[in-house]
């Protein structure tokens, strides 16, 4: 269940660029456009041979990616362009599904031998497993932090949610599997949380959950989203994406409160959503012809999307899994830098 990471980045200032990293199938791409209109293959684009799931920046320009296949399910980069395999085979059994940064350390979730695993790192290179059997018999797919409490989501038989006050010692939320079959993504608005997931083969359970504190969760029913893969907060709205399931033909939906949702799309599978403080980005695939075709769209703060799939199609991937971003000073790429106040819907080109 590919998911996306939301990094809290400041509004860019003079001479700053936005660096974005995108994963499509098992290929990593990068862009220096705040509008995501020009993409390049990374110098080590296939550091994962099976799938590239997540990427995150720590605010100092250091990136960590998680995936499946290759020498290790973890990789790191100093610039988001050249990637180095961590060569760690004992942190996760086969795959890393999610990576976040809390301001002082990275936290990653993935699979273990008998259940999900959570690991931490202060530098993104050396990792320590802190929970070896979270989510009985399943994986850890989602992590989020609101500044006070950490929340994890996964696919255990009886437990699909857990919380922690330090990111190291975790408490499973008993019987959370009765609320939702699995949790694939969790987002926060800095206070409360929204989680999405569910199972397209079992439409009798919730696909969206809300929580004011990360511990007590409330189901929002099965009629708002078929099954959830990704959720983000844009500062105004929650956006959830996934796929249709059962009798619910909704794959993308929007809400201002996490409770009342308005459908946006019904025929696209959405794997990753991202907000870079300027644009909403979403990646996924369209299966209308039977063969998956990558879908990559951008929008302002709400939902008026522009289809930009052709920017990725030429590289060959059939789906877009995640997008992450940060702002930094990159003078050598100034032709794609932005000024503090670019036009709202038109890329601003700065020429030296």
């Amino acid at each position: 269940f590919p998911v996306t990471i939301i990094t809290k980045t400041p509004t860019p200032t003079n001479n700053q660029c936005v660096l974005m990293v995108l994963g499509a199938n098992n290929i990593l791409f990068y862009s220096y456009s705040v509008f995501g209109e020009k993409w390049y293959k990374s110098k080590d684009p296939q550091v994962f041979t099976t799938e590239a799931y997540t990427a995150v920046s720590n605010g100092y320009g250091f990136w960590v990616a998680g995936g499946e296949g290759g020498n290790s399910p973890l990789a790191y980069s100093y610039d988001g362009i050249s990637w180095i395999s961590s060569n760690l085979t004992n942190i996760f059994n086969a795959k890393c599904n999610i990576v976040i940064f809390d301001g002082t350390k990275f936290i990653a979730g993935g699979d273990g031998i008998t259940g999900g695993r959570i690991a931490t790192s202060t530098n993104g290179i050396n990792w320590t497993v802190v929970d070896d059997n979270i989510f009985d018999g399943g994986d850890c797919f989602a992590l989020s932090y609101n500044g006070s409490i950490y929340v994890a989501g996964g696919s255990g038989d009886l437990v699909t949610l857990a919380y922690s006050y330090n990111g190291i010692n975790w408490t499973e939320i008993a019987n959370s599997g009765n609320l939702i079959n699995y949790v694939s993504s969790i987002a926060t608005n800095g206070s409360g949380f929204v989680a999405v997931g569910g199972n397209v083969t079992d439409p009798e359970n919730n696909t969206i959950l809300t929580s004011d504190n990360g511990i007590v969760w409330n189901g929002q029913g099965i009629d708002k989203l078929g099954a959830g893969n990704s959720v983000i907060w844009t500062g105004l709205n929650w956006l959830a994406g996934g796929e249709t399931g059962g009798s619910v033909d909704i794959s993308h939906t929007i809400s201002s409160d996490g409770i009342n949702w308005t459908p946006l799309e019904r025929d696209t599978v959405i794997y990753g959503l991202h907000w870079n403080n300027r644009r909403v980005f979403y990646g996924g695939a369209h299966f209308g012809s039977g063969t998956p075709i990558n879908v990559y769209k951008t929008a302002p703060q709400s939902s008026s999307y522009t289809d930009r799939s052709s920017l990725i199609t030429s590289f060959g991937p059939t789906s877009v899994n995640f997008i992450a971003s940060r702002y930094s000073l990159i003078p050598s790429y100034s032709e794609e830098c932005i000024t503090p106040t670019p036009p709202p819907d038109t890329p601003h080109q700065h020429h030296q």
Side-chain angles (χ1 to χ4, degrees):
F1 308 93
V3 294
T4 193
I5 299 302
I6 306 93
T7 53
K8 295 181 178 179
T9 51
T11 300
T13 58
N14 278 322
N15 301 321
Q16 285 190 318
C17 297
V18 62
L19 172 60
M20 301 183 68
V21 173
L22 178 149
N25 294 112
N26 61 336
I27 303 173
L28 293 170
F29 299 88
Y30 68 94
S31 173
Y32 284 113
S33 169
V34 71
F35 300 96
E37 292 194 334
K38 193 171 184 179
W39 292 91
Y40 308 88
K41 269 190 178 181
S42 297
K43 293 182 179 179
D44 306 283
Q46 291 181 298
V47 67
F48 306 113
T49 57
T50 304
E51 199 77 69
Y53 290 124
T54 62
V56 65
S57 151
N58 70 358
Y60 297 101
F62 193 86
W63 297 75
V64 174
E68 183 178 4
N71 295 328
S72 171
L74 285 161
Y76 61 91
S77 172
Y78 292 96
D79 58 10
I81 300 173
S82 299
W83 291 86
I84 302 168
S85 173
S86 296
N87 291 318
L88 299 173
T89 58
N90 61 341
I91 301 301
F92 298 108
N93 184 43
K95 57 187 176 180
C96 172
N97 300 313
I98 179 73
V99 184
I100 66 171
F101 185 74
D102 68 0
T104 60
K105 64 181 177 296
F106 292 96
I107 307 175
D111 67 342
I113 302 299
T114 60
R117 277 185 184 170
I118 294 178
T120 63
S121 172
T122 56
N123 60 12
I125 300 173
N126 304 304
W127 291 82
T128 301
V129 175
V130 296
D131 197 311
D132 190 37
N133 193 31
I134 199 168
F135 309 127
D136 51 307
D139 279 20
C140 176
F141 290 116
L143 291 164
S144 187
Y145 177 58
N146 70 354
S148 300
I149 191 169
Y150 302 81
V151 178
S155 61
D157 294 332
L158 299 176
V159 175
T160 54
L161 287 161
Y163 66 91
S164 170
Y165 291 106
N166 57 14
I168 297 172
N169 303 302
W170 290 85
T171 300
E172 294 182 332
I173 299 177
N175 300 316
S176 48
N178 293 334
L179 272 178
I180 193 167
N181 298 84
Y182 67 81
V183 174
S184 56
S185 180
I186 305 172
T188 180
N189 59 4
S191 178
F193 297 88
V194 170
V196 299
N199 191 330
V200 294
T201 62
D202 182 10
E204 302 302 320
N205 221 334
N206 297 290
T207 55
I208 298 176
L209 304 179
T210 59
S211 176
D212 293 331
N213 57 17
I215 300 174
V216 178
W217 292 82
N218 301 297
Q220 300 304 322
I222 62 173
D223 60 340
K224 298 176 177 66
L225 185 66
N229 291 329
S230 184
V231 61
I232 61 172
W233 170 252
T234 70
L236 289 177
N237 298 295
W238 301 95
L239 287 169
E243 53 198 289
T244 61
S247 61
V248 184
D249 63 342
I250 301 171
S251 61
H252 192 20
T253 186
I254 186 171
S255 172
S256 61
D257 59 9
I259 298 172
N260 301 290
W261 295 81
T262 301
L264 297 175
E265 294 191 13
R266 301 178 184 274
D267 60 352
T268 301
V269 176
I270 297 174
Y271 295 127
L273 289 163
H274 176 67
W275 166 247
N276 75 351
N277 285 343
R278 290 284 186 175
R279 283 291 184 274
V280 174
F281 297 81
Y282 97 48
H286 182 65
F287 292 83
S289 61
T291 301
I293 301 172
N294 86 81
V295 175
Y296 164 60
K297 297 183 180 182
T298 66
Q301 203 160 358
S302 56
S303 57
S304 300
Y305 286 102
T306 299
D307 193 331
R308 304 190 186 281
S309 302
S310 61
L311 301 175
I312 306 298
T313 301
S314 61
F315 293 105
T318 57
S319 66
V320 176
N321 297 343
F322 73 84
I323 303 168
S325 65
R326 70 177 295 272
Y327 294 106
S328 62
L329 178 64
I330 312 173
S332 61
Y333 290 87
S334 60
E335 72 277 7
E336 293 180 41
C337 290
I338 61 170
T339 61
T341 56
D345 295 302
T346 304
H348 179 86
Q349 300 285 332
H350 172 76
H351 300 281
Q352 290 182 318

